[in-house]
mmCIF file of all heavy atoms in Angstrom:
data_model
loop_
_atom_site.group_PDB
_atom_site.id
_atom_site.type_symbol
_atom_site.label_atom_id
_atom_site.label_comp_id
_atom_site.label_asym_id
_atom_site.label_seq_id
_atom_site.Cartn_x
_atom_site.Cartn_y
_atom_site.Cartn_z
ATOM 1 N N ILE A 185 24.555 74.590 182.474
ATOM 2 C CA ILE A 185 23.270 74.531 181.782
ATOM 3 C C ILE A 185 22.937 73.082 181.479
ATOM 4 O O ILE A 185 23.743 72.360 180.882
ATOM 5 C CB ILE A 185 23.296 75.325 180.455
ATOM 6 C CG1 ILE A 185 23.579 76.801 180.718
ATOM 7 C CG2 ILE A 185 21.965 75.188 179.722
ATOM 8 C CD1 ILE A 185 23.643 77.627 179.454
ATOM 9 N N LYS A 186 21.752 72.683 181.910
ATOM 10 C CA LYS A 186 21.309 71.322 181.598
ATOM 11 C C LYS A 186 20.833 71.295 180.153
ATOM 12 O O LYS A 186 19.918 72.015 179.762
ATOM 13 C CB LYS A 186 20.165 70.899 182.526
ATOM 14 C CG LYS A 186 19.836 69.427 182.398
ATOM 15 C CD LYS A 186 18.782 69.003 183.395
ATOM 16 C CE LYS A 186 18.478 67.503 183.232
ATOM 17 N NZ LYS A 186 17.419 67.057 184.152
ATOM 18 N N LYS A 187 21.513 70.494 179.354
ATOM 19 C CA LYS A 187 21.188 70.442 177.927
ATOM 20 C C LYS A 187 19.825 69.796 177.695
ATOM 21 O O LYS A 187 19.421 68.879 178.416
ATOM 22 C CB LYS A 187 22.264 69.645 177.176
ATOM 23 C CG LYS A 187 23.585 70.384 177.019
ATOM 24 C CD LYS A 187 24.574 69.558 176.217
ATOM 25 C CE LYS A 187 24.149 69.465 174.755
ATOM 26 N NZ LYS A 187 25.143 68.697 173.954
ATOM 27 N N ASP A 188 19.119 70.305 176.674
ATOM 28 C CA ASP A 188 17.862 69.673 176.269
ATOM 29 C C ASP A 188 18.179 68.268 175.781
ATOM 30 O O ASP A 188 19.249 68.012 175.215
ATOM 31 C CB ASP A 188 17.195 70.493 175.167
ATOM 32 C CG ASP A 188 16.821 71.892 175.635
ATOM 33 O OD1 ASP A 188 16.506 72.044 176.826
ATOM 34 O OD2 ASP A 188 16.873 72.824 174.813
ATOM 35 N N LEU A 189 17.242 67.363 175.968
ATOM 36 C CA LEU A 189 17.499 65.968 175.628
ATOM 37 C C LEU A 189 17.564 65.722 174.125
ATOM 38 O O LEU A 189 18.069 64.691 173.677
ATOM 39 C CB LEU A 189 16.411 65.084 176.264
ATOM 40 C CG LEU A 189 16.453 65.021 177.786
ATOM 41 C CD1 LEU A 189 15.296 64.194 178.320
ATOM 42 C CD2 LEU A 189 17.780 64.423 178.276
ATOM 43 N N SER A 190 17.011 66.652 173.358
ATOM 44 C CA SER A 190 17.080 66.529 171.882
ATOM 45 C C SER A 190 16.721 67.873 171.272
ATOM 46 O O SER A 190 16.289 68.796 171.971
ATOM 47 C CB SER A 190 16.102 65.446 171.396
ATOM 48 O OG SER A 190 14.781 65.751 171.803
ATOM 49 N N GLN A 191 16.929 67.986 169.984
ATOM 50 C CA GLN A 191 16.496 69.172 169.224
ATOM 51 C C GLN A 191 15.718 68.648 168.017
ATOM 52 O O GLN A 191 16.294 68.313 166.985
ATOM 53 C CB GLN A 191 17.708 69.994 168.769
ATOM 54 C CG GLN A 191 18.408 70.767 169.877
ATOM 55 C CD GLN A 191 17.550 71.891 170.447
ATOM 56 O OE1 GLN A 191 16.673 72.417 169.774
ATOM 57 N NE2 GLN A 191 17.810 72.263 171.699
ATOM 58 N N LEU A 192 14.400 68.544 168.185
ATOM 59 C CA LEU A 192 13.571 67.946 167.144
ATOM 60 C C LEU A 192 12.605 68.958 166.532
ATOM 61 O O LEU A 192 12.203 69.923 167.183
ATOM 62 C CB LEU A 192 12.748 66.788 167.736
ATOM 63 C CG LEU A 192 13.491 65.635 168.402
ATOM 64 C CD1 LEU A 192 12.502 64.568 168.840
ATOM 65 C CD2 LEU A 192 14.533 65.029 167.467
ATOM 66 N N THR A 193 12.238 68.708 165.279
ATOM 67 C CA THR A 193 11.162 69.474 164.663
ATOM 68 C C THR A 193 9.840 68.909 165.183
ATOM 69 O O THR A 193 9.802 67.843 165.783
ATOM 70 C CB THR A 193 11.199 69.355 163.132
ATOM 71 O OG1 THR A 193 10.947 67.973 162.787
ATOM 72 C CG2 THR A 193 12.553 69.778 162.565
ATOM 73 N N ALA A 194 8.772 69.627 164.907
ATOM 74 C CA ALA A 194 7.460 69.168 165.368
ATOM 75 C C ALA A 194 7.096 67.829 164.738
ATOM 76 O O ALA A 194 6.538 66.942 165.404
ATOM 77 C CB ALA A 194 6.408 70.213 165.041
ATOM 78 N N ASN A 195 7.402 67.674 163.462
ATOM 79 C CA ASN A 195 7.051 66.422 162.769
ATOM 80 C C ASN A 195 7.882 65.245 163.266
ATOM 81 O O ASN A 195 7.436 64.099 163.224
ATOM 82 C CB ASN A 195 7.235 66.594 161.252
ATOM 83 C CG ASN A 195 6.195 67.533 160.662
ATOM 84 O OD1 ASN A 195 5.131 67.728 161.246
ATOM 85 N ND2 ASN A 195 6.496 68.141 159.530
ATOM 86 N N GLU A 196 9.106 65.526 163.733
ATOM 87 C CA GLU A 196 9.920 64.467 164.331
ATOM 88 C C GLU A 196 9.414 64.138 165.741
ATOM 89 O O GLU A 196 9.397 62.980 166.151
ATOM 90 C CB GLU A 196 11.383 64.917 164.410
ATOM 91 C CG GLU A 196 12.076 64.986 163.063
ATOM 92 C CD GLU A 196 13.436 65.684 163.125
ATOM 93 O OE1 GLU A 196 13.679 66.455 164.083
ATOM 94 O OE2 GLU A 196 14.251 65.466 162.197
ATOM 95 N N ALA A 197 8.988 65.167 166.470
ATOM 96 C CA ALA A 197 8.540 64.978 167.855
ATOM 97 C C ALA A 197 7.331 64.065 167.931
ATOM 98 O O ALA A 197 7.230 63.232 168.842
ATOM 99 C CB ALA A 197 8.217 66.338 168.487
ATOM 100 N N VAL A 198 6.384 64.209 166.987
ATOM 101 C CA VAL A 198 5.149 63.415 167.058
ATOM 102 C C VAL A 198 5.404 61.932 166.764
ATOM 103 O O VAL A 198 4.504 61.105 166.951
ATOM 104 C CB VAL A 198 4.064 63.949 166.088
ATOM 105 C CG1 VAL A 198 3.628 65.347 166.484
ATOM 106 C CG2 VAL A 198 4.525 63.911 164.641
ATOM 107 N N LYS A 199 6.602 61.591 166.361
ATOM 108 C CA LYS A 199 6.932 60.191 166.106
ATOM 109 C C LYS A 199 7.562 59.524 167.328
ATOM 110 O O LYS A 199 7.936 58.350 167.285
ATOM 111 C CB LYS A 199 7.883 60.082 164.910
ATOM 112 C CG LYS A 199 7.253 60.553 163.599
ATOM 113 C CD LYS A 199 8.287 60.573 162.477
ATOM 114 C CE LYS A 199 7.672 61.146 161.183
ATOM 115 N NZ LYS A 199 8.681 61.304 160.117
ATOM 116 N N THR A 200 7.688 60.279 168.425
ATOM 117 C CA THR A 200 8.322 59.726 169.625
ATOM 118 C C THR A 200 7.275 59.331 170.665
ATOM 119 O O THR A 200 6.177 59.889 170.699
ATOM 120 C CB THR A 200 9.281 60.755 170.264
ATOM 121 O OG1 THR A 200 8.517 61.870 170.728
ATOM 122 C CG2 THR A 200 10.318 61.239 169.264
ATOM 123 N N ARG A 201 7.667 58.393 171.536
ATOM 124 C CA ARG A 201 6.762 57.965 172.628
ATOM 125 C C ARG A 201 6.528 59.087 173.621
ATOM 126 O O ARG A 201 5.419 59.264 174.131
ATOM 127 C CB ARG A 201 7.366 56.767 173.364
ATOM 128 C CG ARG A 201 7.200 55.446 172.652
ATOM 129 C CD ARG A 201 7.883 54.341 173.402
ATOM 130 N NE ARG A 201 9.329 54.565 173.476
ATOM 131 C CZ ARG A 201 10.198 53.688 173.982
ATOM 132 N NH1 ARG A 201 9.769 52.551 174.477
ATOM 133 N NH2 ARG A 201 11.485 53.957 174.014
ATOM 134 N N ARG A 202 7.577 59.872 173.916
ATOM 135 C CA ARG A 202 7.445 60.891 174.961
ATOM 136 C C ARG A 202 6.453 61.999 174.576
ATOM 137 O O ARG A 202 5.868 62.620 175.457
ATOM 138 C CB ARG A 202 8.810 61.474 175.329
ATOM 139 C CG ARG A 202 9.600 62.114 174.211
ATOM 140 C CD ARG A 202 11.027 62.382 174.696
ATOM 141 N NE ARG A 202 11.855 63.034 173.704
ATOM 142 C CZ ARG A 202 12.464 62.433 172.694
ATOM 143 N NH1 ARG A 202 12.310 61.127 172.541
ATOM 144 N NH2 ARG A 202 13.222 63.105 171.846
ATOM 145 N N PHE A 203 6.274 62.227 173.279
ATOM 146 C CA PHE A 203 5.251 63.193 172.853
ATOM 147 C C PHE A 203 3.876 62.723 173.333
ATOM 148 O O PHE A 203 3.099 63.511 173.892
ATOM 149 C CB PHE A 203 5.248 63.342 171.338
ATOM 150 C CG PHE A 203 4.128 64.218 170.813
ATOM 151 C CD1 PHE A 203 4.291 65.583 170.688
ATOM 152 C CD2 PHE A 203 2.887 63.659 170.474
ATOM 153 C CE1 PHE A 203 3.241 66.400 170.245
ATOM 154 C CE2 PHE A 203 1.845 64.455 170.029
ATOM 155 C CZ PHE A 203 2.029 65.820 169.901
ATOM 156 N N TYR A 204 3.584 61.460 173.140
ATOM 157 C CA TYR A 204 2.267 60.928 173.527
ATOM 158 C C TYR A 204 2.144 60.776 175.041
ATOM 159 O O TYR A 204 1.046 60.885 175.588
ATOM 160 C CB TYR A 204 2.006 59.603 172.803
ATOM 161 C CG TYR A 204 1.911 59.847 171.313
ATOM 162 C CD1 TYR A 204 3.019 59.633 170.483
ATOM 163 C CD2 TYR A 204 0.754 60.386 170.759
ATOM 164 C CE1 TYR A 204 2.950 59.923 169.131
ATOM 165 C CE2 TYR A 204 0.678 60.668 169.398
ATOM 166 C CZ TYR A 204 1.783 60.438 168.602
ATOM 167 O OH TYR A 204 1.716 60.746 167.274
ATOM 168 N N TYR A 205 3.273 60.581 175.740
ATOM 169 C CA TYR A 205 3.232 60.591 177.205
ATOM 170 C C TYR A 205 2.773 61.964 177.706
ATOM 171 O O TYR A 205 1.908 62.065 178.574
ATOM 172 C CB TYR A 205 4.621 60.274 177.784
ATOM 173 C CG TYR A 205 5.100 58.854 177.580
ATOM 174 C CD1 TYR A 205 6.471 58.553 177.531
ATOM 175 C CD2 TYR A 205 4.214 57.800 177.451
ATOM 176 C CE1 TYR A 205 6.918 57.249 177.360
ATOM 177 C CE2 TYR A 205 4.652 56.488 177.278
ATOM 178 C CZ TYR A 205 6.015 56.227 177.222
ATOM 179 O OH TYR A 205 6.456 54.938 177.051
ATOM 180 N N LEU A 206 3.374 63.024 177.135
ATOM 181 C CA LEU A 206 2.989 64.383 177.529
ATOM 182 C C LEU A 206 1.525 64.659 177.187
ATOM 183 O O LEU A 206 0.800 65.277 177.968
ATOM 184 C CB LEU A 206 3.867 65.429 176.834
ATOM 185 C CG LEU A 206 5.329 65.567 177.265
ATOM 186 C CD1 LEU A 206 5.917 66.856 176.690
ATOM 187 C CD2 LEU A 206 5.482 65.567 178.757
ATOM 188 N N TRP A 207 1.100 64.209 175.992
ATOM 189 C CA TRP A 207 -0.277 64.444 175.542
ATOM 190 C C TRP A 207 -1.269 63.791 176.519
ATOM 191 O O TRP A 207 -2.246 64.427 176.937
ATOM 192 C CB TRP A 207 -0.462 63.855 174.146
ATOM 193 C CG TRP A 207 -1.691 64.337 173.435
ATOM 194 C CD1 TRP A 207 -1.764 65.337 172.494
ATOM 195 C CD2 TRP A 207 -3.046 63.841 173.574
ATOM 196 N NE1 TRP A 207 -3.064 65.505 172.068
ATOM 197 C CE2 TRP A 207 -3.863 64.612 172.706
ATOM 198 C CE3 TRP A 207 -3.641 62.853 174.347
ATOM 199 C CZ2 TRP A 207 -5.247 64.389 172.596
ATOM 200 C CZ3 TRP A 207 -5.017 62.647 174.256
ATOM 201 C CH2 TRP A 207 -5.808 63.403 173.385
ATOM 202 N N ILE A 208 -0.993 62.550 176.904
ATOM 203 C CA ILE A 208 -1.881 61.815 177.812
ATOM 204 C C ILE A 208 -1.921 62.484 179.190
ATOM 205 O O ILE A 208 -2.989 62.653 179.791
ATOM 206 C CB ILE A 208 -1.457 60.330 177.936
ATOM 207 C CG1 ILE A 208 -1.711 59.588 176.619
ATOM 208 C CG2 ILE A 208 -2.207 59.644 179.076
ATOM 209 C CD1 ILE A 208 -1.023 58.243 176.525
ATOM 210 N N MET A 209 -0.755 62.898 179.694
ATOM 211 C CA MET A 209 -0.709 63.540 181.009
ATOM 212 C C MET A 209 -1.501 64.841 181.014
ATOM 213 O O MET A 209 -2.264 65.110 181.951
ATOM 214 C CB MET A 209 0.746 63.801 181.423
ATOM 215 C CG MET A 209 1.501 62.546 181.806
ATOM 216 S SD MET A 209 3.091 62.870 182.646
ATOM 217 C CE MET A 209 4.030 63.669 181.382
ATOM 218 N N LEU A 210 -1.337 65.658 179.968
ATOM 219 C CA LEU A 210 -2.087 66.921 179.898
ATOM 220 C C LEU A 210 -3.570 66.642 179.730
ATOM 221 O O LEU A 210 -4.411 67.291 180.378
ATOM 222 C CB LEU A 210 -1.571 67.797 178.749
ATOM 223 C CG LEU A 210 -2.214 69.183 178.652
ATOM 224 C CD1 LEU A 210 -1.862 70.017 179.883
ATOM 225 C CD2 LEU A 210 -1.789 69.916 177.385
ATOM 226 N N PHE A 211 -3.908 65.671 178.892
ATOM 227 C CA PHE A 211 -5.316 65.343 178.640
ATOM 228 C C PHE A 211 -6.026 64.935 179.934
ATOM 229 O O PHE A 211 -7.124 65.430 180.232
ATOM 230 C CB PHE A 211 -5.426 64.219 177.600
ATOM 231 C CG PHE A 211 -6.848 63.717 177.406
ATOM 232 C CD1 PHE A 211 -7.749 64.463 176.672
ATOM 233 C CD2 PHE A 211 -7.271 62.536 177.998
ATOM 234 C CE1 PHE A 211 -9.062 64.017 176.503
ATOM 235 C CE2 PHE A 211 -8.576 62.090 177.838
ATOM 236 C CZ PHE A 211 -9.476 62.839 177.081
ATOM 237 N N ILE A 212 -5.396 64.051 180.715
ATOM 238 C CA ILE A 212 -6.030 63.587 181.950
ATOM 239 C C ILE A 212 -6.125 64.723 182.972
ATOM 240 O O ILE A 212 -7.162 64.919 183.616
ATOM 241 C CB ILE A 212 -5.277 62.376 182.536
ATOM 242 C CG1 ILE A 212 -5.457 61.157 181.624
ATOM 243 C CG2 ILE A 212 -5.750 62.054 183.958
ATOM 244 C CD1 ILE A 212 -4.656 59.932 182.026
ATOM 245 N N ASN A 213 -5.055 65.500 183.112
ATOM 246 C CA ASN A 213 -5.073 66.607 184.076
ATOM 247 C C ASN A 213 -6.156 67.627 183.734
ATOM 248 O O ASN A 213 -6.869 68.110 184.613
ATOM 249 C CB ASN A 213 -3.700 67.290 184.120
ATOM 250 C CG ASN A 213 -3.494 68.099 185.378
ATOM 251 O OD1 ASN A 213 -3.551 67.571 186.482
ATOM 252 N ND2 ASN A 213 -3.275 69.400 185.231
ATOM 253 N N VAL A 214 -6.301 67.922 182.440
ATOM 254 C CA VAL A 214 -7.295 68.921 182.016
ATOM 255 C C VAL A 214 -8.711 68.336 182.054
ATOM 256 O O VAL A 214 -9.648 69.009 182.479
ATOM 257 C CB VAL A 214 -6.977 69.454 180.600
ATOM 258 C CG1 VAL A 214 -8.054 70.431 180.141
ATOM 259 C CG2 VAL A 214 -5.628 70.149 180.596
ATOM 260 N N THR A 215 -8.879 67.080 181.629
ATOM 261 C CA THR A 215 -10.199 66.448 181.642
ATOM 262 C C THR A 215 -10.800 66.466 183.046
ATOM 263 O O THR A 215 -11.947 66.883 183.249
ATOM 264 C CB THR A 215 -10.111 64.989 181.147
ATOM 265 O OG1 THR A 215 -9.699 64.985 179.776
ATOM 266 C CG2 THR A 215 -11.468 64.284 181.244
ATOM 267 N N CYS A 216 -10.010 66.032 184.025
ATOM 268 C CA CYS A 216 -10.510 65.964 185.404
ATOM 269 C C CYS A 216 -10.666 67.356 185.992
ATOM 270 O O CYS A 216 -11.649 67.650 186.686
ATOM 271 C CB CYS A 216 -9.565 65.131 186.260
ATOM 272 S SG CYS A 216 -9.310 63.451 185.600
ATOM 273 N N GLY A 217 -9.706 68.225 185.702
ATOM 274 C CA GLY A 217 -9.754 69.577 186.245
ATOM 275 C C GLY A 217 -10.900 70.396 185.686
ATOM 276 O O GLY A 217 -11.616 71.081 186.419
ATOM 277 N N ILE A 218 -11.114 70.299 184.372
ATOM 278 C CA ILE A 218 -12.159 71.109 183.738
ATOM 279 C C ILE A 218 -13.544 70.587 184.106
ATOM 280 O O ILE A 218 -14.520 71.344 184.149
ATOM 281 C CB ILE A 218 -11.956 71.166 182.199
ATOM 282 C CG1 ILE A 218 -12.443 72.510 181.654
ATOM 283 C CG2 ILE A 218 -12.625 70.019 181.477
ATOM 284 C CD1 ILE A 218 -11.968 72.810 180.243
ATOM 285 N N ALA A 219 -13.625 69.278 184.406
ATOM 286 C CA ALA A 219 -14.896 68.723 184.876
ATOM 287 C C ALA A 219 -15.252 69.319 186.236
ATOM 288 O O ALA A 219 -16.407 69.668 186.502
ATOM 289 C CB ALA A 219 -14.798 67.203 184.978
ATOM 290 N N ILE A 220 -14.236 69.457 187.104
ATOM 291 C CA ILE A 220 -14.437 70.078 188.421
ATOM 292 C C ILE A 220 -14.822 71.555 188.241
ATOM 293 O O ILE A 220 -15.715 72.072 188.904
ATOM 294 C CB ILE A 220 -13.161 69.959 189.273
ATOM 295 C CG1 ILE A 220 -13.025 68.540 189.828
ATOM 296 C CG2 ILE A 220 -13.152 70.960 190.405
ATOM 297 C CD1 ILE A 220 -13.923 68.248 191.009
ATOM 298 N N LEU A 221 -14.127 72.234 187.317
ATOM 299 C CA LEU A 221 -14.427 73.650 187.067
ATOM 300 C C LEU A 221 -15.868 73.834 186.610
ATOM 301 O O LEU A 221 -16.548 74.780 187.034
ATOM 302 C CB LEU A 221 -13.474 74.220 186.004
ATOM 303 C CG LEU A 221 -12.240 74.980 186.517
ATOM 304 C CD1 LEU A 221 -11.277 74.019 187.196
ATOM 305 C CD2 LEU A 221 -11.528 75.693 185.374
ATOM 306 N N SER A 222 -16.310 72.956 185.728
ATOM 307 C CA SER A 222 -17.649 73.106 185.157
ATOM 308 C C SER A 222 -18.747 72.750 186.156
ATOM 309 O O SER A 222 -19.888 73.169 186.005
ATOM 310 C CB SER A 222 -17.789 72.220 183.909
ATOM 311 O OG SER A 222 -17.756 70.851 184.253
ATOM 312 N N ALA A 223 -18.387 71.965 187.187
ATOM 313 C CA ALA A 223 -19.409 71.500 188.141
ATOM 314 C C ALA A 223 -19.144 71.935 189.576
ATOM 315 O O ALA A 223 -19.803 71.468 190.499
ATOM 316 C CB ALA A 223 -19.487 69.970 188.088
ATOM 317 N N ALA A 224 -18.170 72.844 189.782
ATOM 318 C CA ALA A 224 -17.764 73.210 191.138
ATOM 319 C C ALA A 224 -18.920 73.772 191.955
ATOM 320 O O ALA A 224 -19.094 73.438 193.133
ATOM 321 C CB ALA A 224 -16.611 74.215 191.094
ATOM 322 N N LYS A 225 -19.747 74.631 191.344
ATOM 323 C CA LYS A 225 -20.836 75.276 192.083
ATOM 324 C C LYS A 225 -21.882 74.261 192.553
ATOM 325 O O LYS A 225 -22.164 74.160 193.748
ATOM 326 C CB LYS A 225 -21.467 76.362 191.207
ATOM 327 C CG LYS A 225 -22.484 77.248 191.905
ATOM 328 C CD LYS A 225 -22.785 78.459 191.023
ATOM 329 C CE LYS A 225 -23.956 79.261 191.573
ATOM 330 N NZ LYS A 225 -25.236 78.617 191.299
ATOM 331 N N PRO A 226 -22.471 73.445 191.643
ATOM 332 C CA PRO A 226 -23.441 72.457 192.121
ATOM 333 C C PRO A 226 -22.828 71.393 193.023
ATOM 334 O O PRO A 226 -23.482 70.877 193.923
ATOM 335 C CB PRO A 226 -23.988 71.838 190.825
ATOM 336 C CG PRO A 226 -23.009 72.169 189.767
ATOM 337 C CD PRO A 226 -22.389 73.461 190.173
ATOM 338 N N LEU A 227 -21.545 71.066 192.777
ATOM 339 C CA LEU A 227 -20.860 70.071 193.613
ATOM 340 C C LEU A 227 -20.759 70.566 195.055
ATOM 341 O O LEU A 227 -20.989 69.814 196.005
ATOM 342 C CB LEU A 227 -19.457 69.799 193.045
ATOM 343 C CG LEU A 227 -18.623 68.708 193.742
ATOM 344 C CD1 LEU A 227 -19.270 67.350 193.586
ATOM 345 C CD2 LEU A 227 -17.214 68.678 193.178
ATOM 346 N N ALA A 228 -20.395 71.848 195.221
ATOM 347 C CA ALA A 228 -20.292 72.433 196.565
ATOM 348 C C ALA A 228 -21.645 72.476 197.259
ATOM 349 O O ALA A 228 -21.753 72.278 198.475
ATOM 350 C CB ALA A 228 -19.673 73.827 196.486
#
C-alpha cells in the first residue's frame, strides 16, 4: 500500500503550498472547460 504523504486536517491543509497547487489546477481546468461547455453550440 502506497502510504498517503500526510494526514492533515482541513485547516492544516490550507496552510500548505500543495493545497493551492490543486486549487489552481482545478480552477484552470474547470474555467476553460466550462467556457467550452457554455459556448459549444455557437462555437460549432
Side-chain angles (χ1 to χ4, degrees):
I185 299 179
K186 190 175 180 182
K187 286 182 70 178
D188 298 328
L189 292 176
S190 58
Q191 287 292 334
L192 302 183
T193 65
N195 291 338
E196 289 169 339
V198 296
K199 296 173 184 174
T200 65
R201 281 177 297 186
R202 59 191 182 279
F203 174 89
Y204 295 98
Y205 291 153
L206 289 193
W207 196 98
I208 291 166
M209 287 193 295
L210 185 65
F211 174 77
I212 291 175
N213 199 59
V214 177
T215 296
C216 304
I218 212 165
I220 283 282
L221 263 68
S222 67
K225 188 167 171 283
L227 184 65

